[in-house]
RNA sequence: GCACCUGUAGCUCAGCAGGAUAGAGCGUCCGCCUCCUAAGCGGAAGGCCGUGAGUUCGAAUCUCGCCAGGUGCGCCA
């Protein structure tokens, strides 16, 4: 059931009155709809029409216009229209409003807020992009969870999504690692210890090669072997990859994150020639200090390095190759790179080079940048041990959740499962709570906070809704929507109405935090309603209406949490 | 030096395709469980929205300058 679109309908009515009363037809219905505002306070109505802009054209003071509109505006679904200080405040009949919004949301069920706007379109998302033989730490959380959320949100709006973990699996360090492994390593130890063991080998190599030139040369030689496709080198290298991915998979499983492709840096090794050929053919390559670059001075950017003095290709070359390959393979509508803002210049350069190459789809590339993570005020440093590993963080959060459950809900079934959902939810929520551009200074007490605007708070509200519904024992009379006319219920209804628009804006801005924030707003509004109004009322019609509101809130909270990659337990 | 980003309550931040009295959480102080989950709810205190100009009927929001912090700027990725 498609509910009445209040904004459009009201805009149409205002348009009619403007024509009748002032002979003004300069504004179309959609113009007026865009001008309509949602007032800061429910007491000021559901929609407001500011008359200031009309003042000049009509040569009348705004309050005069709003007064006249107030007298002329009538519609059956309008409860009241006020004229205050040049604003036309429009009050929709509260029962009608609640009925329309809730019926729509209820019939949409777990698809409330979904749409088909992305049907037939493909979105590529490049996120997480872990490095081989490195541990997953809190610095990798944002790219992973932002990418995951954007993936789910796009999917919900009908897009086909391709999640790419662009592995950092190329570089001289892997030659060193193989060398170290051959000298001091042991298959069983690495197999059992995973990335930790590989890191140990690498650190030892680094230390010993500092005063051993021969060793450094040996490392370089092993990298050359990888490049040349030497079977032994490749075997070991691919095994390193498998071990790293197995370690990472454990964390990805905890976070509920998946990928459709693991094509990383190494994958593009044999695809660089095309980039060079095209750049040359298009006369974009110039020599500079022995290197080949694309000059971007005209765009006030430093040159984009394509080929080193020694003939080797670079980061930008690889990203160009990847972009061409991805377009050929997936014919994407958009390609999002969820990468920290340090690489802002890099992506601006790469996108500009694509433009200069004549690809109009350069406009469909977007760098979804996010802020840096520091730890208790200092930069993360694996070397200095100033680092928090993701697995440790998640496990600590789960333990804390488990302890709280033991204390507050000792009879809860599936304690472990719920502790996982809540602990992980707290961490993920913390990561997706602020605008992505903000730097995050990680502190344990903030990341593990379960009170206030946190994942557990929103999950708790969801569990509370579930609990009320369970207690109602399915007693659903015919709802009396007039019972939802109180301000607390209306605030909840209004938020629910806004949800589909929130998802849309969040996608337009590639900003999952808008959904996170929404989940808090809705939870707060519902909790207030919960305390002010008795849901399981004796009056069955009132009870049915409040239960319906509870049901729709539960659905909406769950959808919002799921979109940002968080589970919604039914009890906690 | 140049480029990009950020500056809002003690702290962490919403609000920024201009609109009505600038909001929330944390922390502090004070209340609320014989009643649907107190991981909750209510109240108090706390603000020249970095700063100066400009645009506008109207600026936290747009423009320019300045100040402060972060990040990046040729052969790493």
């Amino acid at each position: 059931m498609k509910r009445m679109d209040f904004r459009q309908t009201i805009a149409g009515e205002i348009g009619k009155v403007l024509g009748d009363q002032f002979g003004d037809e300069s504004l179309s219905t959609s113009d007026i709809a865009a001008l309509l505002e949602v007032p800061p306070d429910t007491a000021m109505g559901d929609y407001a029409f500011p008359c200031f802009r009309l003042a000049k054209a009509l040569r009348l003071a705004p309050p005069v216009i709003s007064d006249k509109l107030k007298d002329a505006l009538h519609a059956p679904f309008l409860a009241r229209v006020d004229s205050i200080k040049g604003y036309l405040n429009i009050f929709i009949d509260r029962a009608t409003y609640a009925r329309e919004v809730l019926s729509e949301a209820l019939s949409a069920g777990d698809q409330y807020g979904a749409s088909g706007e992305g049907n037939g379109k493909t979105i590529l998302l490049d996120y997480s992009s872990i490095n081989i033989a490195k541990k997953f730490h809190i610095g990798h959380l944002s790219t992973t969870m932002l990418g995951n959320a954007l993936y789910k949100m796009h999917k919900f709006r009908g897009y086909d999504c391709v999640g790419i973990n662009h592995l950092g699996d190329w570089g001289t360090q892997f030659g060193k690692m193989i060398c170290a492994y051959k000298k001091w390593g042991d298959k069983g130890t690495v197999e059992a210890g995973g990335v930790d063991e590989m890191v140990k080998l690498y650190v030892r190599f680094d230390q010993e090669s500092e005063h051993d030139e021969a060793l450094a040369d040996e490392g370089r030689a092993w990298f050359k072997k990888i490049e040349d496709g030497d079977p032994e080198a490749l075997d070991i290298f691919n095994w390193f990859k498998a071990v790293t991915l197995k370690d990472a998979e454990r964390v990805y499983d905890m976070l509920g994150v998946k990928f459709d492709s693991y094509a990383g840096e190494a994958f593009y090794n044999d695809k660089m020639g095309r980039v060079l050929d095209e750049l040359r053919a298009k006369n974009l390559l110039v020599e500079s200090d022995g290197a080949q670059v694309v000059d971007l001075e005209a765009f006030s950017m430093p040159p984009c390095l394509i080929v080193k003095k020694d003939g080797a290709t670079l980061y930008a070359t690889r990203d160009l190759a990847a972009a061409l390959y991805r377009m050929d393979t997936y014919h994407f509508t958009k390609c999002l790179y969820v990468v920290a803002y340090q690489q802002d210049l890099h992506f601006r350069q790469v996108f500009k080079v694509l433009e200069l190459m004549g690809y109009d789809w350069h406009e469909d590339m977007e760098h979804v940048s996010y802020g840096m993570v520091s730890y208790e005020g200092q930069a993360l440093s694996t070397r200095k041990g100033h680092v928090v590993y993701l697995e440790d963080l998640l496990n600590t959060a789960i333990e804390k959740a488990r302890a709280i459950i033991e204390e507050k809900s000792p009879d809860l079934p599936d304690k472990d499962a719920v502790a996982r959902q809540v602990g992980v939810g707290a961490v993920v929520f913390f990561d997706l709570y602020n605008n992505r551009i903000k730097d995050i200074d990680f502190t344990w007490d903030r990341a593990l906070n379960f009170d206030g605007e946190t994942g557990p708070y929103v999950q708790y509200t969801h569990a509370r809704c579930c609990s009320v519904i369970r207690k109602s024992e399915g007693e659903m009379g015919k709802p009396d929507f007039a019972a939802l006319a109180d301000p607390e219920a209306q605030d909840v209804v209004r938020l629910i109405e806004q949800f589909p628009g929130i998802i849309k804006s969040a996608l337009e801005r590639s900003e999952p935090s808008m959904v996170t924030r929404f989940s808090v707003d809705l939870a707060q509004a519902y909790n207030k309603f919960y305390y002010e109004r008795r849901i399981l009322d004796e009056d069955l019609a009132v009870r049915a209406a409040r239960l319906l509101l509870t049901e729709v809130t539960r659905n909406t909270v769950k959808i919002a949490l799921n979109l940002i990659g968080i589970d919604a337990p039914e009890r906690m």
Side-chain angles (χ1 to χ4, degrees):
Chain A
M1 161 179 161
K2 187 69 200 142
R3 75 177 154 82
M4 188 190 303
D5 187 330
F6 291 110
R7 182 181 283 265
Q8 286 298 324
T9 313
I10 292 167
E13 295 298 325
I14 291 176
K16 252 185 263 171
V17 175
L18 281 174
D20 294 349
Q21 300 290 310
F22 301 98
D24 183 293
E25 300 192 343
S26 58
L27 294 174
S28 71
T29 300
S30 57
D31 290 337
I32 297 169
L35 286 173
L36 280 175
E37 293 169 9
V38 176
D41 190 331
T42 336
M44 293 188 272
D46 299 294
Y47 289 95
F49 182 65
C51 300
F52 310 99
R53 211 160 301 198
L54 289 171
K56 216 176 273 176
L58 301 180
R59 297 198 189 167
L60 290 167
V64 177
I65 300 170
S66 59
D67 279 351
K68 243 179 141 174
L69 283 172
K70 166 189 150 63
D71 293 335
L73 196 62
H74 298 288
F77 61 92
L78 292 182
R80 182 156 63 94
V81 181
D82 282 351
S83 167
I84 299 162
K85 293 191 280 189
Y87 281 95
L88 191 68
N89 287 345
I90 297 156
F91 295 78
I92 297 168
D93 174 72
R94 299 191 153 188
T96 309
Y97 186 57
R99 188 191 67 228
E100 293 293 321
V101 172
L102 297 183
S103 308
E104 156 84 2
L106 187 71
S107 63
D110 61 5
Q111 291 301 299
Y112 181 56
S115 85
E117 69 180 43
N119 287 350
K121 295 177 179 166
T122 300
I123 303 288
L124 257 64
L125 297 115
D126 180 325
Y127 59 104
S128 203
S129 303
I130 50 167
N131 293 314
I132 298 306
K134 285 204 183 141
K135 282 203 83 166
F136 216 140
H137 61 69
I138 51 172
H140 301 114
L141 187 59
S142 291
T143 173
T144 305
M145 297 324 297
L146 281 168
N148 184 57
L150 290 170
Y151 189 108
K152 286 177 189 287
M153 287 159 59
H154 275 103
K155 201 145 200 191
F156 198 54
R157 303 292 280 189
Y159 294 90
D160 286 325
C161 296
V162 181
I164 302 175
N165 196 330
H166 188 78
L167 300 178
D169 56 4
W170 196 250
T172 51
Q173 69 271 27
F174 299 113
K176 297 179 189 176
M177 292 213 48
I178 292 177
C179 184
Y181 172 71
K182 291 285 287 180
K183 282 197 177 328
W184 315 301
D186 160 79
K187 184 139 190 155
T189 314
V190 174
E191 203 80 65
V195 171
D196 281 333
E197 282 305 316
M198 293 198 270
V199 170
K200 276 187 207 161
L201 287 172
Y202 186 75
V203 168
R204 179 164 174 194
F205 184 95
D206 239 21
Q207 285 166 350
E208 300 209 7
S209 65
E210 249 176 60
H211 17 257
D212 184 351
E213 262 310 305
L215 187 61
D217 287 342
E218 234 177 296
R220 277 188 280 274
W222 272 106
F223 180 61
K224 184 80 169 57
K225 283 192 181 181
I226 302 176
E227 281 185 298
D228 296 343
D230 173 80
E232 187 191 9
L234 279 186
D235 263 8
I236 300 174
F237 179 48
N238 285 329
W239 174 62
F240 281 169
K241 270 206 223 182
V243 171
T244 306
L245 281 178
K246 195 173 148 238
D247 262 24
E249 211 61 49
R250 223 169 35 238
V251 178
Y252 287 138
D253 279 349
M254 276 199 254
L255 295 170
V257 174
K258 287 200 165 27
F259 301 91
D260 302 299
S261 163
Y262 289 87
E265 292 167 1
F267 179 79
Y268 295 101
N269 268 339
D270 59 355
K271 298 172 181 62
M272 309 288 237
R274 175 181 169 195
V275 177
L276 301 180
D277 293 345
E278 276 195 40
L279 287 172
R280 285 204 189 92
K282 290 170 180 168
N283 281 320
L284 291 169
L285 277 188
V286 293
E287 191 175 315
S288 164
D289 294 334
Q292 303 283 314
V293 309
V294 177
D295 181 49
L296 298 175
E297 205 181 342
F299 311 98
S300 51
M301 280 187 267
C304 183
L305 273 276
I306 303 291
V307 183
K308 293 203 282 187
K309 216 184 303 191
D310 66 5
T313 54
L314 285 142
Y315 185 33
T317 328
R318 202 169 291 270
D319 266 354
L320 288 167
L324 297 181
Y325 173 84
R326 289 170 178 182
M327 181 42 98
D328 282 354
T329 309
Y330 301 107
H331 310 287
F332 57 77
T333 305
K334 275 166 83 179
C335 179
L336 309 184
Y337 294 86
V338 187
V339 180
Y341 67 59
Q342 276 97 326
Q343 314 223 14
D344 178 67
L345 177 62
H346 165 74
F347 284 110
R348 277 167 46 223
Q349 289 178 315
V350 168
F351 299 164
K352 181 54 79 177
V353 171
L354 288 170
E355 181 183 354
L356 295 175
M357 288 170 87
Y359 294 114
D360 54 357
W361 47 266
H362 73 271
E363 290 174 5
D364 306 322
M365 317 290 279
E366 181 185 342
H367 175 203
V368 179
S369 61
Y370 58 85
M372 296 206 332
V373 181
S374 53
Y375 174 30
E376 319 244 303
Q378 283 183 307
L380 288 169
S381 165
T382 313
R383 193 173 303 181
K384 290 181 192 157
H386 191 71
V387 67
V388 177
Y389 295 113
L390 211 36
E391 199 168 6
D392 295 340
L393 170 60
L394 293 172
N395 283 329
T396 308
I398 292 167
E399 275 167 36
K400 176 172 176 180
R402 176 74 207 215
I404 294 175
I405 290 169
E406 239 17 283
E407 181 201 330
K408 305 198 177 194
S409 318
D411 301 327
L412 187 74
D414 304 324
K415 283 183 195 165
D416 287 327
V418 174
R420 247 193 331 275
Q421 291 177 311
V422 173
V424 173
V427 171
V428 172
F429 196 96
F430 170 74
D431 191 64
L432 294 179
Y433 176 57
N434 289 335
N435 284 352
R436 58 183 157 78
I437 199 65
K438 299 277 182 186
D439 288 335
I440 297 179
D441 182 33
F442 179 91
T443 60
W444 282 98
D445 57 331
R446 268 205 298 269
L448 295 182
N449 180 25
F450 288 13
D451 300 323
E453 299 174 346
T454 64
Y457 170 80
V458 178
Q459 289 173 319
Y460 181 81
T461 308
H462 175 265
R464 175 177 263 177
C465 290
C466 291
S467 171
V468 173
I469 291 164
R470 266 196 309 273
K471 290 243 160 72
S472 74
E473 287 162 346
E475 285 178 57
M476 272 288 207
K478 188 172 160 38
D480 172 13
F481 288 97
L484 301 179
D486 59 86
E488 293 81 14
Q490 285 288 304
D491 282 344
V492 177
V493 171
R494 186 144 89 163
L495 282 163
I496 288 167
E497 190 209 356
Q498 288 166 1
F499 183 54
I502 299 273
I503 301 175
K504 194 166 187 289
S505 316
L507 276 185
E508 281 163 4
R509 301 196 210 172
S510 301
E511 189 62 90
S513 67
M514 293 179 74
V515 175
T516 317
R517 296 275 170 174
F518 170 86
S519 74
V520 172
D521 291 344
L522 181 55
Q524 283 175 332
Y526 181 81
N527 282 326
K528 186 171 269 186
F529 165 75
Y530 176 90
Y531 271 88
E532 296 297 328
R533 309 291 155 183
R534 175 119 193 123
I535 294 160
L536 301 178
D537 195 83
E538 290 76 16
D539 182 327
L540 285 183
V542 171
R543 177 189 183 116
R546 290 182 178 158
L547 270 170
L548 181 57
L549 184 66
T550 300
E551 166 80 19
V552 170
T553 300
R554 182 189 67 167
N555 283 347
T556 309
V557 166
K558 184 175 181 184
I559 294 167
L561 285 176
N562 289 347
L563 284 176
I564 54 175
I566 296 176
D567 287 334
E570 295 188 0
R571 298 171 199 256
M572 62 186 272

